């Protein structure tokens, strides 16, 4: 849905570089999530946020940093990229807002395919 | 914490046949069970979900059933079509806790041949 977008869609970076993946939603959802998707592992939660300035770790947070200064944005930063962070990253959101959907339903952005060389 | 197991990992059916994908969960507090369909290179799309106060839910050719006692839920697709070919993920969460993250199964790759 156009309500949640991610950028860039594709990114190649080198080991040790810092890279930031952006997520933006227009539904005024309170909750936002970052997942990574790898073959054989499905979707695993990295970090999530209940509101601006409130974030918490998920299942695989090591090597990642998040911030949420505005409700609509939830950037994910890899401080020093490693090859093991090569993955597809999905942002999702949920909550009461303007999407017209139930608060507990999560909707995903289009994903960012990150390759670390 | 919650753990979701999904079976089978791959499923091949002929067009027109039915397909069933099964998931089990471990946390009795989980009460929301969505199913997502993901086509190649696309985002996961919510196709149907069920809450624990309901035993079955249908939407055209797809249905989901839930057995709370046994802690398992299933996705049923009838009259399969080639466009049903995709990866399907089940998930679980406690929707009473606002913003609880989904715990996903590892996915089932469904192939429908014509």
């Amino acid at each position: 849905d156009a309500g949640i977008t991610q950028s860039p869609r594709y990114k190649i970076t080198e080991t040790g570089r810092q890279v930031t993946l952006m997520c933006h939603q227009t539904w005024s959802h309170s909750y936002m999530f970052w997942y990574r998707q790898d073959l054989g592992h499905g979707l695993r939660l990295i970090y999530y946020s209940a509101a601006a300035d409130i974030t918490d770790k998920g299942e695989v947070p090591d090597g990642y940093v998040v911030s949420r200064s505005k409700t609509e944005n939830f950037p994910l930063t890899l401080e020093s990229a490693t090859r093991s962070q090569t993955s597809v990253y999905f942002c999702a959101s949920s909550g009461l807002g303007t999407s017209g959907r139930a608060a507990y339903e999560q909707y995903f952005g289009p994903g960012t395919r990150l390759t670390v060389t | 914490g919650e753990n979701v197991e999904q079976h089978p990992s791959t499923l091949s059916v002929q067009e027109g046949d039915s397909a069933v994908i099964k998931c089990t969960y471990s946390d009795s507090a989980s009460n929301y069970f969505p199913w997502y369909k993901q086509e190649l290179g696309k985002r996961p799309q919510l196709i149907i979900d069920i809450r624990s106060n309901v035993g079955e839910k249908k939407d055209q050719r797809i249905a989901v059933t839930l057995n709370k006692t046994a802690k398992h839920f299933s996705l049923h697709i009838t009259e399969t079509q080639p466009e049903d070919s995709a990866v399907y993920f089940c998930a679980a969460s406690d929707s009473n806790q606002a913003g609880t993250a989904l715990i996903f199964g590892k996915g089932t790759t469904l192939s429908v041949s014509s």
Side-chain angles (χ1 to χ4, degrees):
Chain A
D1 289 9
I4 182 166
T5 57
Q6 293 181 237
S7 62
R9 295 294 315 280
Y10 303 90
K11 177 74 176 178
I12 301 174
T13 192
E14 294 177 343
T15 300
R17 298 257 186 165
Q18 181 180 83
V19 60
T20 296
L21 310 183
M22 302 301 294
C23 179
H24 175 78
Q25 53 100 1
T26 61
W27 289 317
S28 301
H29 280 166
S30 299
Y31 303 97
M32 296 186 75
F33 309 85
W34 275 106
Y35 295 89
R36 60 177 290 175
Q37 184 173 34
D38 306 288
L39 274 176
H41 290 281
L43 289 146
R44 293 181 292 174
L45 181 68
I46 305 170
Y47 268 96
Y48 62 103
S49 169
D53 298 322
I54 301 175
T55 62
D56 210 345
K57 296 179 180 179
E59 180 186 356
V60 288
D62 293 344
Y64 303 95
V65 174
V66 293
S67 62
R68 195 163 175 211
S69 57
K70 292 184 178 182
T71 301
E72 61 266 30
N73 297 323
F74 191 35
L76 176 74
T77 297
L78 288 67
E79 293 191 300
S80 178
T82 65
R83 290 196 181 89
S84 65
Q85 292 177 310
T86 293
S87 187
V88 180
Y89 291 85
F90 286 100
C91 178
S93 70
S94 69
L96 294 173
T98 60
S99 66
R101 295 159 176 143
Y104 47 80
E105 295 180 358
Q106 283 191 29
Y107 289 88
F108 284 79
T112 294
R113 183 174 294 276
L114 176 68
T115 301
V116 183
T117 63
Chain B
E2 178 63 275
N3 182 52
V4 177
E5 302 274 346
Q6 183 172 348
H7 299 281
S9 57
T10 60
L11 180 60
S12 296
V13 299
Q14 292 285 324
E15 183 178 1
D17 288 349
S18 295
V20 180
I21 302 170
K22 299 181 179 181
C23 289
T24 60
Y25 62 99
S26 61
D27 189 349
S28 57
S30 291
N31 59 8
Y32 174 61
F33 308 94
W35 286 88
Y36 286 82
K37 175 184 180 182
Q38 186 178 30
E39 297 174 346
L40 191 62
K42 304 288 188 181
R43 76 187 79 190
Q45 297 266 21
L46 179 66
I47 56 171
I48 195 168
D49 56 15
I50 192 167
R51 301 191 74 187
S52 60
N53 57 348
V54 175
E56 183 177 2
K57 185 176 178 180
K58 288 184 179 179
D59 183 3
Q60 300 184 339
R61 295 186 298 107
I62 61 173
V64 57
T65 59
L66 171 65
N67 183 326
K68 280 191 66 179
T69 302
K71 293 184 186 167
H72 66 71
F73 57 111
S74 300
L75 178 71
H76 304 254
I77 306 174
T78 59
E79 300 173 20
T80 54
Q81 300 169 3
E83 51 265 37
D84 294 328
S85 296
V87 180
Y88 292 80
F89 293 96
C90 63
S93 78
D94 177 2
S95 68
N96 288 331
Q97 292 211 27
T100 303
L102 294 171
I103 304 300
F104 285 86
K106 289 184 167 50
T108 296
T109 300
L110 174 64
S111 300
V112 181
S113 54
S114 55

